[in-house]
Amino acid sequence: MINNKNFQLRKILTNKNETSFLMEAHNGISAKIVEDVGFQAIWASGFAISSSLALRDCNENSWTQTLDILEYMADAVNIPILLDGDTGYGNFNNFRRLIYKLEQRGISGVCIEDKVFPKLNSFVEQKDRLAQVEEFCGKIKAGKDVQKDKNFTIVARVESLVSGLPIEEALMRSEAYFKAGADAILIHSKKETGDEILEFVKKCPVDIPLIIVPTKYYKTPTSLFKKAQIAAIIWANQSFRAAYASMKKTLQEIFHTESLQNTEPHITSMSEIFNILHYDELKVAEEKYLPKIIKES
Ligand code: SPV
Ligand code: MG
């Protein structure tokens, strides 16, 4: 039997003829909003999930705590979820165990980066150690061997450019990860333009779908990445940052005015939340399942 979400994600991440977009979510309700707005898939961002727990993006939350959040997200939506799985939370064996649990919980794919556990967010000005190529290839192979559904997707994320290494290192690693069985490569960059990404695309020695995260080089037009046949673009943290900005502004206003008058017209109504969470279904279910005598008491 085909797992439809897994199939969808694989298609989204590997079709070079159509650039797809994944939006970040970090909990059940943000996942629901991502789906509601129309995105086809979710990026379960390590940065956003840890930040929403008021923890740093350096594996301060355990992977099983992340798994619990993912379960709420997967329950809330019908679109597939790609987990930002950091380094796979350890060696090949930790990664195998992660995949076993992700498949159980309805997650459709995982992206692992070629760094050493515990990792640190790529945009922090402090260099992380890169994993050895052979070790990372073994991790990819172990993941592909253990996945039960053939459409579960494993993305290998190349951190060479972020680490300031020459493009040749990124190209060499991409080829190795392709040969190890990765379904796609996420090539990461922290430059302010997409030039090095576009150069990488031109020089990439293997025919593998490419995924990018233009957080820093957002001024480069998306049309250029489409033209370069980037398979998928990840908007990696905008849900979380938008929520943070809006929450802070609203709370400051209420604090300073000691009133809700200015903010109430601008924030989400309770009824919108009731709607998106289908409170009306509860009434219908009560009619069906709850004896009259309990309803009326
Ligand atoms: C994340 O969203 O956690 C990512 C992307 O890994 S980045 O923060 O750009 O490294
Ligand atoms: Mg991350």
Side-chain angles (χ1 to χ4, degrees):
M1 198 181 72
I2 286 193
N3 177 317
N4 213 27
K5 281 192 194 180
N6 294 5
F7 177 73
Q8 283 305 325
L9 185 70
R10 176 65 70 83
K11 231 171 68 181
I12 286 166
L13 296 178
T14 59
N15 183 1
K16 291 170 145 195
N17 297 319
E18 190 185 341
T19 305
S20 300
F21 297 88
L22 284 81
M23 174 49 82
E24 169 265 310
H26 49 275
N27 58 18
I29 194 69
S30 57
K32 241 179 151 40
I33 297 169
V34 171
E35 179 178 51
D36 208 42
V37 163
F39 285 101
Q40 290 175 295
I42 289 172
W43 168 250
S45 154
F47 165 78
I49 291 174
S50 58
S51 302
S52 71
L53 299 170
L55 294 174
R56 291 166 291 201
D57 185 14
C58 56
N59 299 120
E60 286 188 332
N61 44 308
S62 73
W63 72 268
T64 54
Q65 288 170 327
T66 300
L67 203 59
D68 287 341
I69 291 163
L70 290 170
E71 188 170 6
Y72 282 105
M73 291 166 62
D75 284 349
V77 295
N78 292 310
I79 55 174
I81 298 174
L82 173 66
L83 169 66
D84 167 11
D86 295 341
T87 60
Y89 312 117
N91 70 6
F92 78 94
N93 194 40
N94 303 96
F95 186 48
R96 290 197 301 195
R97 178 91 184 127
L98 173 69
I99 289 184
Y100 179 69
K101 299 309 285 183
L102 290 178
E103 286 199 273
Q104 274 182 352
R105 308 243 182 152
I107 304 304
S108 297
V110 62
C111 174
I112 46 167
E113 60 202 52
D114 53 357
K115 296 200 293 206
V116 174
F117 179 90
K119 56 64 63 76
L120 182 62
N121 185 276
S122 300
F123 297 147
V124 178
E125 285 305 324
Q126 191 179 315
K127 277 212 181 103
D128 255 353
R129 260 191 310 137
L130 288 190
Q132 285 182 359
V133 179
E134 294 75 15
E135 203 224 330
F136 196 69
C137 285
K139 207 182 263 189
I140 296 166
K141 276 187 196 138
K144 291 311 293 178
D145 283 347
V146 81
Q147 72 180 60
K148 290 201 175 82
D149 182 64
K150 71 176 176 20
N151 288 316
F152 183 88
T153 299
I154 297 181
V155 177
R157 166 167 157 179
V158 176
E159 285 284 305
S160 312
L161 302 178
V162 167
S163 299
L165 294 170
I167 196 159
E168 287 69 29
E169 174 81 15
L171 295 165
M172 178 274 288
R173 282 179 176 259
S174 300
E175 183 168 1
Y177 303 162
F178 166 73
K179 287 182 178 155
D183 299 301
I185 295 287
L186 190 160
I187 180 70
H188 206 16
S189 167
K190 60 178 180 185
K191 289 269 161 62
E192 291 199 351
T193 77
D195 292 354
E196 76 174 357
I197 290 290
L198 292 169
E199 186 187 347
F200 175 90
V201 175
K202 265 198 206 125
K203 293 184 173 165
C204 188
V206 283
D207 185 21
I208 186 165
L210 298 176
I211 301 171
I212 60 167
V213 181
T215 307
K216 293 283 177 188
Y217 50 93
Y218 65 91
K219 288 182 185 157
T220 302
T222 300
S223 56
L224 292 187
F225 301 127
K226 286 185 167 179
K227 211 167 138 206
Q229 295 199 297
I230 294 293
I233 293 178
I234 297 176
W235 308 124
N237 54 38
Q238 289 67 29
S239 309
F240 176 78
R241 288 166 57 210
Y244 186 99
S246 167
M247 202 184 297
K248 189 162 179 184
K249 188 164 173 265
T250 305
L251 269 50
Q252 281 172 333
E253 180 73 25
I254 296 171
F255 179 77
H256 291 300
T257 60
E258 299 184 345
S259 161
L260 303 179
Q261 290 213 14
N262 293 345
T263 55
E264 196 53 31
H266 307 294
I267 60 177
T268 308
S269 66
M270 298 276 288
S271 58
E272 181 165 346
I273 304 295
F274 295 157
N275 280 340
I276 197 170
L277 297 181
H278 304 296
Y279 275 52
D280 51 350
E281 188 275 339
L282 206 49
K283 213 194 251 164
V284 177
E286 271 184 12
E287 285 305 322
K288 194 168 166 191
Y289 301 118
L290 205 60
K292 268 202 164 32
I293 188 152
I294 294 182
K295 260 198 312 181
E296 283 159 9
S297 64

